[in-house]
Amino acid sequence: MPANLTPAYKAAEGHYRYAKDPAERLDALKEMLRTIPKHKGTDHLQADIKAKIKELTDELAGPKKGGARTGPETAIRREGAGQIALLGPPNSGKSALHAATTGSHAHVGPYPFTTQYPQPGMMPVHDVAIQLVDLPPIAVEHPVSWISNALHSADGCLLVVDLSMPGCVERVIALHELLAERRIELIDQWPADSGPDDESSSDVDLFTKVLPTLLVASKADRLVESGDELAVLKELAEVTYPCMAISTETGHGLDRLGTWLFDRLGVVRVYTKIPGKDADMGRPYTVRHGATVLEVATLVHKEIATDFKFARLWGTAGFDAQQVGRDHLVEDGDILEIHA
Ligand SMILES: Nc1nc2c(ncn2[C@@H]2O[C@H](COP(=O)(O)OP(=O)(O)OP(=O)(O)O)[C@@H](O)[C@H]2O)c(=O)[nH]1
Ligand SMILES: [Mg+2]
């Protein structure tokens, strides 16, 4: 981290970090470039910001320079209890998995490079849903210029590999190299794995996207000796991610995939009630492990959060209708009655 960064610059960085969409991100980047102290110590950072501005400008301008924007969106707005990207080599079964778990009509083809644009879909888990984003394959023959923008809002990814495919290991190694060039780093730690004080993943630089990764071995119906191929992949591609085998043909592993993601993302469901009425058990709000009562209030309504007085809580800890303050940590299954 270069020295002598001003409060104005730091504020701009904050705007970048919390920008909701590519347009807001671009504004924040320009603000960063305006406010960054111009000296030798910030040369690298200035270059990074300029590169990112160029990338986002191209992305927002669309495929044709100067022309009208054509083609589908490449950045998908985050929805539901978490956003999970589907990454993998060509023809590995990403779209089939997407279709089977979200009910989408993602195009499945017996040949590589079927998918060209991101496609969102919602995978139901318990009484909430996790968003899955189907993506084009990551391969040398077919660079995807907008991939880092598409992954910006993802909470994690499924690295979908077909272990029965010749060259699978080389494909996975190439994929890691391509992602590294775009400063996307896949890691084996998921939010629920780290302790309360473990902030390791937030220490990386602003322009590196760190994605918790689950290795999904697809087409399990075809794998005879999957154990061997998986061991080879782990060794040669130096893969340490948690693994799961699935099949869209037999449905093997599909239910478990949803609950696994729910648990590892640390999803916390909070139900709300109005004083004197029964709780609304139909649609929980979702936050992450470690979230406070105030964060839930913000999801319910901005004004309710601003005027927050106290809340009553029915949950696993404490007693029924316990009065709690804004900083109280919520647990999965809590019922909140917010008083503002
Ligand atoms: N036997 C079997 N075949 C599968 C399974 N899942 C996908 N396939 C087949 O694998 C081929 C590729 O599937 P897709 O889902 O299109 O693969 P993709 O990873 O989205 O491919 P790209 O979009 O080109 O990257 C198709 O012929 C599918 O029918 C599975 O679980 N079992
Ligand atoms: Mg596909």
Side-chain angles (χ1 to χ4, degrees), residues 88-98 106-116 134-138 160 162 218-222 246-251:
N91 216 39
S92 67
K94 300 176 292 298
S95 298
L97 176 59
H98 193 265
H107 199 55
V108 175
Y111 39 81
F113 305 107
T114 307
T115 306
Q116 293 292 322
D134 189 21
L135 290 166
I138 308 292
V160 182
D162 175 357
S218 65
K219 313 183 192 180
D221 52 287
R222 278 198 203 151
I246 60 114
S247 165
T248 57
E249 289 286 314
T250 63

Side-chain angles (χ1 to χ4, degrees), residues 268-271 281 314-316 330-336:
V268 168
R269 291 163 297 176
V270 179
Y271 303 83
M281 298 310 282
W314 288 254
T316 38
V330 288
E331 305 262 1
D332 188 40
D334 279 355
I335 298 169
L336 267 190

Side-chain angles (χ1 to χ4, degrees), residues 75-86 98 101-102 119-125 128-134 153-156 158 261 265 288:
I76 303 292
R77 192 173 277 268
R78 196 177 168 283
E79 272 177 53
Q83 188 185 61
I84 302 292
L86 298 189
H98 193 265
T101 51
T102 70
Q119 176 162 1
M122 301 306 287
M123 171 174 62
V125 185
V128 294
I130 291 173
Q131 186 180 43
L132 291 191
V133 181
D134 189 21
S153 52
D155 299 301
L158 305 182
L261 287 171
L265 283 169
R288 286 303 150 78

Side-chain angles (χ1 to χ4, degrees), residues 9 52 67 80 83 95 99 106 117 127 133 161 182 221 223 225 237 246 251 256 269-270 274 292 295 311:
Y9 173 80
K52 203 77 196 172
Q83 188 185 61
S95 298
Y117 288 102
D127 51 355
V133 181
V161 296
R182 312 305 302 272
D221 52 287
L223 297 176
E225 287 292 326
I246 60 114
R256 219 183 117 223
R269 291 163 297 176
V270 179
I274 295 169
T292 62
E295 284 176 68

